[in-house]
């Protein structure tokens, strides 16, 4: 099992930026890819971005493409989500998750960090 701890959330005005971090510990050798998801009040959890540990291949949802950047620091076992040009509709709890097999099933999840974007 992989333990994941997110940080970096907060309150920001529209147009501003935040950087989220996700520190991984435990069975980190089993990670294949990491993902960021978000869930707004009353909404289902949605995919935001994904990155593979080995080659750093990235994927983004259309709603954040061009504004958000996912990256990883293998030495620190940490994944980041740089969020620029934030909009009120980006307000949500953001979660990181680990996919150990590359099959897009995320077995481990963090506790989430709140991001609030004011108009």
């Amino acid at each position: 099992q992989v333990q994941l701890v997110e940080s970096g959330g907060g309150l920001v005005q529209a147009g501003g930026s935040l950087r989220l971090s996700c520190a991984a510990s435990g069975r980190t050798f089993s990670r294949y890819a990491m993902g960021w998801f978000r869930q707004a009040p009353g909404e289902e959890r949605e995919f935001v971005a994904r990155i593979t540990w080995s080659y750093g291949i990235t994927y983004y949802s259309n709603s954040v493409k061009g504004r958000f950047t996912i990256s990883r620091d293998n030495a620190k076992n940490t994944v980041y989500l740089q969020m620029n040009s934030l909009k009120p509709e980006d307000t949500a709890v953001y979660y990181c998750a680990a996919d150990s097999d590359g099959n897009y099933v995320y077995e481990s999840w963090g506790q989430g960090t709140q991001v609030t974007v004011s108009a």
Side-chain angles (χ1 to χ4, degrees):
Q1 194 76 1
V2 177
Q3 289 77 49
L4 305 172
V5 179
E6 303 98 333
S7 62
L11 173 64
V12 64
Q13 289 187 335
S17 298
L18 281 175
R19 188 177 81 155
L20 306 182
S21 300
C22 174
S25 61
R27 294 188 60 186
T28 54
F29 63 86
S30 65
R31 298 168 318 210
Y32 178 83
M34 297 290 291
W36 283 99
F37 294 77
R38 66 186 182 185
Q39 187 168 21
E43 303 290 333
E44 292 187 354
R45 188 175 297 183
E46 66 170 347
F47 168 77
V48 174
R50 172 182 170 93
I51 187 167
T52 61
W53 276 106
S54 296
Y55 297 103
I57 300 172
T58 59
Y59 307 87
Y60 297 93
S61 69
N62 288 334
S63 61
V64 307
K65 194 175 298 182
R67 300 188 297 122
F68 291 11
T69 302
I70 188 171
S71 62
R72 88 272 192 243
D73 185 328
N74 290 18
K76 295 182 178 180
N77 292 323
T78 299
V79 175
Y80 304 97
L81 185 68
Q82 178 66 44
M83 306 185 295
N84 298 329
S85 302
L86 283 161
K87 305 175 182 179
E89 51 263 44
D90 294 318
T91 295
V93 177
Y94 283 70
Y95 299 89
C96 68
D99 166 11
S100 62
D101 297 323
N103 59 1
Y104 293 83
V105 175
Y106 295 85
E107 304 92 348
S108 302
W109 292 82
Q111 82 289 347
T113 186
Q114 177 71 46
V115 172
T116 303
V117 184
S118 63

